[in-house]
Amino acid sequence: MPTLRIALAQVNPTVGDLAGNAATVREWSRAAADSGAQIAAFPEMMLTGYPVEDLVFRKSFVAASTAALRSLATDLAADGLGELPVVVGYLDADGGPRNALAVLHGGEVLTTYYKHHLPNYGVFDEDRYFEPGDTLTVIRLAGVDIALTICEDIWQAGGPFAVAGRARVGLVVNINGSPYELNKDDVRLSLVQRRAAEAGAAIAYVNMVGGQDELVFDGDSIVVTAGGTLLARAPQFAEHLMIHDLDLPAAEPDAPTGDLGEMSVRRVEVPAAPPAPSSLVEGGIADRVTDEAEVWHALVLGLRDYVEKNGFRSVVLGLSGGIDSSVVAAIAVDALGSDRVVGVSMPSQHSSGHSKDDAADLAKRTGLDYRIEPIQPMVDAFLANMSLSGLAVENLQARVRGVILMALSNQEGHLVLTTGNKSELAVGYSTLYGDSVGGFNPLKDVPKTLVWKLARWRDAEAERRGAEPPIPENSIAKPPSAELRPGQLDTDSLPDYDELDAILAGYVDGDLGRDQLVAEGHDPALVDRVLRMVDVAEYKRRQSAPGTKISIKAFGRDRRLPITNRWREHPS
Amino acid sequence: MPTLRIALAQVNPTVGDLAGNAATVREWSRAAADSGAQIAAFPEMMLTGYPVEDLVFRKSFVAASTAALRSLATDLAADGLGELPVVVGYLDADGGPRNALAVLHGGEVLTTYYKHHLPNYGVFDEDRYFEPGDTLTVIRLAGVDIALTICEDIWQAGGPFAVAGRARVGLVVNINGSPYELNKDDVRLSLVQRRAAEAGAAIAYVNMVGGQDELVFDGDSIVVTAGGTLLARAPQFAEHLMIHDLDLPAAEPDAPTGDLGEMSVRRVEVPAAPPAPSSLVEGGIADRVTDEAEVWHALVLGLRDYVEKNGFRSVVLGLSGGIDSSVVAAIAVDALGSDRVVGVSMPSQHSSGHSKDDAADLAKRTGLDYRIEPIQPMVDAFLANMSLSGLAVENLQARVRGVILMALSNQEGHLVLTTGNKSELAVGYSTLYGDSVGGFNPLKDVPKTLVWKLARWRDAEAERRGAEPPIPENSIAKPPSAELRPGQLDTDSLPDYDELDAILAGYVDGDLGRDQLVAEGHDPALVDRVLRMVDVAEYKRRQSAPGTKISIKAFGRDRRLPITNRWREHPS
């Protein structure tokens, strides 16, 4: 049984940065070769980043991708890495755009493969963008047959993995741009195990890591045996080069080729290979972490990459002393460091003493750049010149704060962070062009009840490490309030957040109707009230900033509802 | 040769309004029967409205659609219309969601058909939403065989029309939710003629009319002979019942059925039919109009339906005396009447005398509700409390105006209209949360050069009718300026609009790369400058209000680009 040393490069590409992504491949291929790897695999669309969306339709972009691929092959050989087969995702255009991978070897593109199963649900629109491939590529390397596949190929039964089984390969490499969702790692392992059984082959699964607009890729690269035994697993949310030695069946001289049912098989011999390993290396199995830790790391990475990849040096946010802005500040400081985070307290006549104290306390704990900008003079100027009352005055205060944050952004170059949580956004409990102002919202997909849990987890984590907990206990414990009128509390307008979040999970993530929610045990009047709020808030949500997606359905791109719509689950 | 009297009901449904849409079908079926029609056809997804997007995933919504269909069948019979076959689009769920049509007759659902070709490009995402049908339904009515098809079925060769040809039908009915694009009517007629040849049958094409978020459906229903001769054509942008008598070949007793290649054929006899017509009726051929008239009517209808269907009574917009806000005001007055439009002049210290005069002149000409709200006191309050300079001060003025408009909206209930044109939006020449504030933007998809043409067309049209031209000549003729600093002109920051719009058309609508644009004769330095502006403005555009789509690619939903993206056509 040959032993093959594989290198899975769990790296963080940037969409559109062909030169930078190619440099990453060269650097990590060097490290893989230094570790004695006989093959190195990089994520889906590694060269272009993922997803590239409508850039696919730009011929100049496709041409740049294929040119970068050829240059990369040459450069790897010039680096002295020509013998190492490097599997890398890129964008091709062969009878239509292709979500493709190439094997680079000996300074050339040895062979390619085009993704067969194209996902067109949730955040994916690949039926718009790509033509599906119908040929499975199998390379023979150091006496082992290896089938090459891309992402969704592993999520659907049939197709590449079934054909790989008929082709009697020893290993299937699957390269991914698989976005994070809460608990997706659990689904992922059992999926890889199931598909190993279907192919009767070991699987090496490599995923990208990093933030891209609303998506965050969590890594979590995996190696399993044909029998489904987990051999190695990379950590989530960190770049990682996983080197693992795999015992694999020798390639069969008479293994079938050509038409094998759903797909045909193309076989390619890798003419030279690095030598087999002399001592055994294992990739190790990274520990799983709690839900709160997982989400926290996703939000930190999502924010960091949004800021860095878009070229911002710093962020600014309003600090109310409440839980949402405190948690966003802590995430921002974890992502960027306290010297790159500006927090602005913008008290009004309705701001309580504890709000100002709690904001100052958070600033002291985190060390961020703290400013105070009272809003009353600007609010008064509007009130003196217009006849406003009630909700219009409440919203005015939030909008004056928005103008202040945007003025600081224009003057000093910060990205403005929004701090509204998913529960608030869902029911429209925010001011359009007020507290919703900003370029990125870390909590956009985080329900209020989870915001509290994250705060408690982060503080406990600090205590565990002997550091100062960043979030003041008072911000966590006090009843939430928008403080836009005297004595206002969230509970004046909203149900209890435990009940609200449960109904939202059913209605938004689960697409349940009113009657199903009532059948689940929710109070009918409360269901009607919440659904009415959600339906009315659709326009506001569309106008809100992007934010890292952590669940099945964030608001925004992957929730597509008509604005103009008379359908109501509830009595109107 | 039997003569069949058909009724094409070019009506305006509302998404989600199942009861209202069913009532429309009953009312127009009554009118069709009163006109002696033997069959009446309504648009695609008539009962639910179109597009319903993610409502498809709500089981309760699908159930409501099928229940509404059954009730409609019963109600039509109760109305005494049971004998008239009524073809109506709806949402079904038979092995997955279906974009379906039903023939209602005798108080029952006589038969159904599921759309075969599902569009998944441009504004369409039907691969996400629907399962394709694989059976063509042919009804025999009054001795004529009629195949029933839906929208995209007519845009692709092969499939339903080819199979209808093999089934030797006399007529194909095609029901549509086909959105307007500039000059789409020209494409549409030649398409229908081509498909008539493919089927060897006459075609009755009925399209919906009305606005739905960013889409506007233009009607333009068509009847052609098997030879492609245009017999009847409905006007664009208006509801219309088109009654036309068609001479059609008699059904063949031995016409083939069952599997006919790409699809199988289901044949259904309509057991009773209204009597054949005794005198000849023709539908008439509506005149085509100029491009400017077509776009104007599209924008007026798109705005009116957005306002009405979302339950607003009135709109408010800022009037600068410039061309964009003047044109939006004229569109709004045409759409809603002058008593439902509020225009606010918000002069600053940089506003010229002519700006205030021209805004007042427009208000007088259109009769809208005119207000004046100077912004200097509010701007001064910010400047007194913050250290701002340069662009931050320019943006501050635009944002104070945004706060004023939103305060009026909150206080009085108006929908705020945005007035930035497509050229400005493309290059980011606007202030986020400033002049971009608003719920709907009639000019979102209108390039600046077309804004001027529309203004001249509208004024000339008024003169032709002996009415007062709504848009002051001075607003059309003067050089455009944002007036955010002394003596500022658009040309300080932007190229000439003729050149700008030509490059934008290539880069945005045509997906051309830099080198192609240069090869087309554009100045390389100017191309680089414009492309840089467009790429940088992506985030602002995402945050902008919806607006009626009139071209291949509006910004917003149908232009899907990553925000985080390092790819540049131009040297960075």
Side-chain angles (χ1 to χ4, degrees), chain A residues 15 54 60 122 125 128 212-213 310 373 385 389 395 399 410-411 433 438 539 560 563-564 566 569, chain B residues 15 54 60 122 125 128 212-213 310 373 385 389 395 399 410-411 433 438 539 560 563-564 566 569:
Chain A
V15 165
D54 280 11
S60 50
D125 283 301
R128 292 177 78 89
Q212 168 63 35
D213 295 352
N310 285 299
E373 199 70 67
N385 288 281
S389 59
N395 285 331
R399 293 198 180 106
N410 288 157
Q411 190 68 35
Y433 315 124
Y539 178 74
R560 303 177 182 183
I563 298 172
T564 303
R566 296 268 178 86
E569 290 280 350
Chain B
V15 164
D54 281 10
S60 50
D125 284 302
R128 291 177 79 89
Q212 168 63 35
D213 296 352
N310 284 300
E373 198 72 66
N385 288 280
S389 59
N395 285 331
R399 291 197 182 107
N410 288 157
Q411 190 69 37
Y433 315 123
Y539 177 73
R560 302 178 183 184
I563 298 173
T564 303
R566 295 268 176 86
E569 291 280 349

Side-chain angles (χ1 to χ4, degrees), chain A residues 151-309:
Chain A
C151 203
E152 184 75 5
D153 289 337
I154 205 171
W155 286 87
Q156 299 188 28
F161 280 77
V163 173
R166 278 173 233 143
R168 300 206 291 273
V169 304
L171 173 67
V172 184
V173 170
N174 181 248
I175 69 170
N176 290 267
S178 175
Y180 171 69
E181 269 169 36
L182 187 55
N183 298 324
K184 192 169 184 180
D185 52 341
D186 305 326
V187 181
R188 199 179 268 145
L189 177 59
S190 65
L191 170 80
V192 173
Q193 291 167 324
R194 206 157 59 240
R195 217 57 79 211
E198 187 178 359
I203 295 181
Y205 172 107
V206 59
N207 191 17
M208 68 175 55
V209 71
Q212 168 63 35
D213 295 352
E214 299 213 325
L215 303 181
V216 62
F217 300 93
D218 60 330
D220 190 30
S221 300
I222 289 172
V223 180
V224 300
T225 66
T229 304
L230 177 63
L231 296 179
R233 189 164 199 180
Q236 288 177 286
F237 309 111
E239 289 196 310
H240 186 76
L241 182 65
M242 189 157 75
I243 308 287
H244 191 87
D245 290 343
L246 259 175
D247 289 332
L248 294 168
E252 301 177 23
D254 59 347
T257 190
D259 185 359
L260 294 187
E262 296 143 275
M263 302 175 77
S264 68
V265 168
R266 168 201 300 129
R267 290 183 178 272
V268 178
E269 176 90 28
V270 181
S278 53
S279 62
L280 196 71
V281 171
E282 296 203 338
I285 298 179
D287 289 338
R288 297 295 92 190
V289 300
T290 63
D291 284 359
E292 287 83 359
E294 204 179 274
V295 170
W296 190 272
H297 293 311
L299 299 180
V300 167
L301 178 58
L303 175 61
R304 181 189 301 132
D305 276 358
Y306 194 89
V307 171
E308 298 280 2
K309 292 182 179 179

Side-chain angles (χ1 to χ4, degrees), chain B residues 142-158:
Chain B
V144 175
D145 279 350
I146 306 173
L148 304 172
T149 63
I150 302 177
C151 203
E152 185 76 5
D153 288 337
I154 204 171
W155 286 87
Q156 300 187 30

